[in-house]
Amino acid sequence: MNSAAKNSLIRKGSAASVVLLIVFLAAWQWGPGLLGIPSFIVPPLSMVYDEFFRMLHVNHLMTHTAITAAEVLAGFVIGSLLGAFIGYVLGMSPTAEFALSPYILALQIAPKVAFAPLFIMWMGFTVYPKILVAILIVFFPIMVNVLSAIRTVDPDLINLARAFKATRAQIFWKIEFPASMPPLFAGLRIGSTLAVVGVVVGELVGGNMGLGYLLSFGEGQANTPMVFVTILMLTLVGAVAYLAVIVIEQRVLHYLPTRAFGGV
Amino acid sequence: MSDVVRLEFRNVSMRFVEATGQSLTAVAGVSFSVRDGEVVSLIGPSGCGKSTLLNIGSGLYAPSEGEAYVDGERVEGPNAHVAFMLQKDLLLPWRTIVENVMLGVEIQGLPITERKRRAQALLENLGLAEFLDRYPHQLSGGMRQRVALARTLAVDPTVLLLDEPFSAVDAQTRIVLQRELAQTLKRAAKTALLITHDLLEAVTLSDRVLVMSRRPGRIIDEIQVDLPGRDDPIARRHEARVNDYVSRLMDRLDIGHDSLNTAGASA
């Protein structure tokens, strides 16, 4: 695509996006009234907007958001590091993978969020069970991506390094590790959104902190706008995490041919 | 060209055990040697074990029987005397061109200034001076193969093992690359074993051509190429006798006989 065509696509695309946003917001504001949907089912935009400011003052919305964001960050970082580390270890040791694969498979199939009540029984109404659910749910996509990346490195590349008398460590750091970066980042993108899921489930199950708590609080009061505001804040937390991964990815994978608009 | 032997295979056989449990003999009792500064081509039908010999020569495989020697030393693993180049350029996409060329010398622990100097000099000789800091995806196939040649030469091997290095590039680029290779080998006085499917390439680039049989691969003929201008394959193409050599190679390979055509199609 030449740059003129690209610019034209960006212009047209952005214009369409803005139009779509306006249509969506208008439909949200007036749609429920026109269709006769009661506001406790779908509150119009203005109600949600008002509720947002009410929650800022009354419900410490920002504190809860900050707690959730911190749990997401901790769970995502620890889960990613663990997942990548175990992925590299298993990728380099077929014996270890063979021995551990039934357990890994079982853990991977088990719905990770089902562990939330267990972790709360173990660790009480603290931030730790929430972080632990996030770690567990983030771990697998990253481990699986790294493992298959190491497995699928072109054997001729390994032989090239071996023919230069590379040590095992040199093969890892000069060939396998950099070759695993694109799949690692694909895993991190998935992980960044899953971390939010893990944390929210943990907060829903127990405790009086975080956006998950506000969700169940709003539900208990039949306060639909409050639930809407909380969902929006959760989406915001997830979006920030996802964008952070993309910003880092574009710095690390700068050598790849440019994909269309960052490939979000 | 001196009489010092740089690369030697002594009675080399190689058997593999297939996934089905059957044993497969890829090469059987292969013996030949390559003298200092000589360029020898190895031709033969697909699957005759040419690449296996290359892997044995570079120390990546240990032969089932026999030995390979490089510079008089028995090959018992990868060593600094040989370097190989394949059909695939094997450039690392996350490294710039100059960094790719430095891969081997970096692994071997040369100081950074010396690495850079060598890589730059080689790339300049191959007409890639402007592309030092580009990434591989920004280069054409022919340029990438030149970079692979520079990476192979950067470790300053005495013997180059080349496995169909130009079979993936288009015909015109191939002719240019063949000439660059021939001139580079001559200038640096390197010894090379060239595996190729291209009979004309074998004749125009080599001092000698070895013909292998179908599996299990044995050497069935050895042809001395008595033509001038080994460093200029384009000029050599105009030699009338080139056709005689190519015809002889076709005969030795049974090209044109129905038995091989059908076997070749299934291979």
Side-chain angles (χ1 to χ4, degrees):
Chain A
M1 201 187 310
N2 64 39
S3 67
K6 200 167 171 173
N7 283 336
S8 142
L9 179 62
I10 291 175
R11 251 197 332 271
K12 283 183 190 165
S14 316
S17 272
V18 170
V19 171
L20 210 61
L21 179 70
I22 293 167
V23 170
F24 172 74
L25 293 177
W28 188 359
Q29 175 62 31
W30 293 291
L34 289 172
L35 295 170
I37 299 169
S39 66
F40 61 85
I41 301 289
V42 179
L45 178 61
S46 54
M47 263 180 86
V48 174
Y49 183 78
D50 293 341
E51 176 65 13
F52 173 76
F53 288 101
R54 195 195 64 77
M55 285 173 75
L56 275 185
H57 296 113
V58 182
N59 299 99
H60 308 290
L61 179 60
M62 281 307 149
T63 312
H64 289 291
T65 306
I67 289 168
T68 298
E71 290 166 346
V72 167
L73 181 69
F76 176 61
V77 169
I78 299 170
S80 306
L81 288 174
L82 270 178
F85 179 74
I86 302 291
Y88 287 122
V89 169
L90 295 187
M92 289 170 70
S93 164
T95 324
E97 193 204 350
F98 189 80
L100 292 174
S101 60
Y103 303 97
I104 291 167
L105 193 66
L107 257 181
Q108 201 178 355
I109 291 168
K112 262 68 70 185
V113 292
F115 287 84
L118 184 67
F119 293 157
I120 286 177
M121 288 189 280
W122 288 350
M123 287 179 265
F125 296 126
T126 59
V127 293
Y128 303 112
K130 289 95 175 173
I131 294 173
L132 199 56
V133 179
I135 291 172
L136 198 62
I137 201 169
V138 166
F139 177 84
F140 286 96
I142 290 166
M143 188 207 72
V144 168
N145 275 23
V146 168
L147 177 57
S148 73
I150 296 290
R151 279 297 146 77
T152 51
V153 173
D154 185 347
D156 283 331
L157 276 180
I158 308 282
N159 277 341
L160 177 75
R162 280 182 57 210
F164 289 136
K165 299 186 77 173
T167 61
R168 188 69 194 83
Q170 284 177 319
I171 291 175
F172 178 74
W173 288 113
K174 293 191 192 297
I175 311 282
E176 291 173 319
F177 182 70
S180 72
M181 283 297 119
L184 171 66
F185 273 97
L188 289 175
R189 286 183 180 212
I190 301 169
S192 66
T193 58
L194 287 179
V196 182
V197 175
V199 164
V200 171
V201 171
E203 289 172 345
L204 278 172
V205 172
N208 56 2
M209 294 175 295
L211 292 172
Y213 161 73
L214 284 187
L215 273 183
S216 63
F217 182 75
E219 182 206 357
Q221 299 203 325
N223 184 348
T224 320
M226 187 172 194
V227 174
F228 267 73
V229 169
T230 313
I231 291 173
L232 286 174
M233 293 310 285
L234 281 169
T235 308
L236 185 69
V237 170
V240 169
Y242 189 81
L243 285 174
V245 171
I246 288 187
V247 167
I248 299 170
E249 177 178 330
Q250 282 179 337
R251 301 199 122 204
V252 175
L253 302 182
H254 63 92
Y255 56 84
L256 291 180
T258 42
R259 288 160 295 176
F261 322 129
V264 183
Chain B
M1 207 185 302
S2 72
D3 285 338
V4 179
V5 171
R6 287 293 181 198
L7 173 68
E8 187 179 6
F9 286 81
R10 279 189 209 158
N11 200 26
V12 167
S13 297
M14 187 74 185
R15 279 183 296 277
F16 293 102
V17 179
E18 287 189 310
T20 52
Q22 283 177 317
S23 124
L24 177 143
T25 306
V27 287
V30 169
S31 298
F32 68 89
S33 56
V34 184
R35 290 188 306 278
D36 183 47
E38 206 181 12
V39 177
V40 173
S41 284
L42 199 56
I43 62 167
S46 6
C48 74
K50 298 177 298 249
S51 301
T52 305
L53 286 178
L54 186 139
N55 282 324
I56 290 171
S58 56
L60 294 172
Y61 293 175
S64 311
E65 275 164 40
E67 303 99 43
Y69 293 86
V70 173
D71 279 344
E73 287 170 29
R74 186 170 168 179
V75 175
E76 280 167 339
N79 64 79
H81 300 279
V82 278
F84 71 79
M85 175 176 172
L86 306 183
Q87 179 182 338
K88 288 189 272 185
D89 55 59
L90 297 178
L91 298 183
L92 304 173
W94 54 86
R95 283 175 172 244
T96 61
I97 296 311
V98 70
E99 287 168 351
N100 263 291
V101 174
M102 293 193 296
L103 178 71
V105 276
E106 184 183 313
I107 287 172
Q108 293 172 358
L110 235 69
I112 177 89
T113 47
E114 171 63 13
R115 277 183 223 162
K116 237 192 163 125
R117 197 192 56 75
R118 266 200 212 181
Q120 280 175 353
L122 284 163
L123 287 167
E124 275 162 26
N125 273 334
L126 290 165
L128 290 167
E130 299 160 43
F131 299 94
L132 298 181
D133 297 317
R134 301 284 182 89
Y135 284 90
H137 75 89
Q138 297 170 306
L139 269 60
S140 69
M143 290 161 113
R144 293 172 59 122
Q145 221 37 15
R146 269 184 210 140
V147 178
L149 177 62
R151 179 188 57 202
T152 310
L153 291 164
V155 291
D156 199 20
T158 45
V159 177
L160 276 82
L161 301 173
L162 309 163
D163 192 353
E164 301 187 25
F166 308 132
S167 58
V169 296
D170 65 83
Q172 281 103 42
T173 308
R174 187 179 313 153
I175 294 172
V176 175
L177 289 178
Q178 283 167 349
R179 183 171 63 180
E180 278 180 10
L181 174 68
Q183 287 171 344
T184 308
L185 290 176
K186 193 79 177 185
R187 191 169 50 229
K190 298 289 183 197
T191 308
L193 180 64
L194 170 70
I195 291 176
T196 179
H197 271 126
D198 182 340
L199 305 184
L200 189 58
E201 177 171 283
V203 172
T204 51
L205 284 176
S206 336
D207 299 303
R208 207 148 43 99
V209 182
L210 300 171
V211 184
M212 283 181 81
S213 67
R214 265 185 279 161
R215 203 161 53 210
R218 300 167 201 278
I219 308 277
I220 53 170
D221 200 2
E222 176 183 345
I223 297 168
Q224 191 76 37
V225 182
D226 287 316
L227 294 173
R230 199 206 71 194
D231 57 341
D232 192 354
I234 294 178
R236 244 192 196 192
R237 278 168 180 262
H238 298 296
E239 292 279 331
R241 281 179 298 154
V242 162
N243 291 327
D244 303 338
Y245 285 111
V246 171
S247 313
R248 184 167 161 199
L249 292 175
M250 284 175 73
D251 285 345
R252 294 306 287 139
L253 288 168
D254 265 358
I255 293 172
H257 290 225
D258 289 344
S259 62
L260 190 102
N261 281 348
T262 47
S266 66

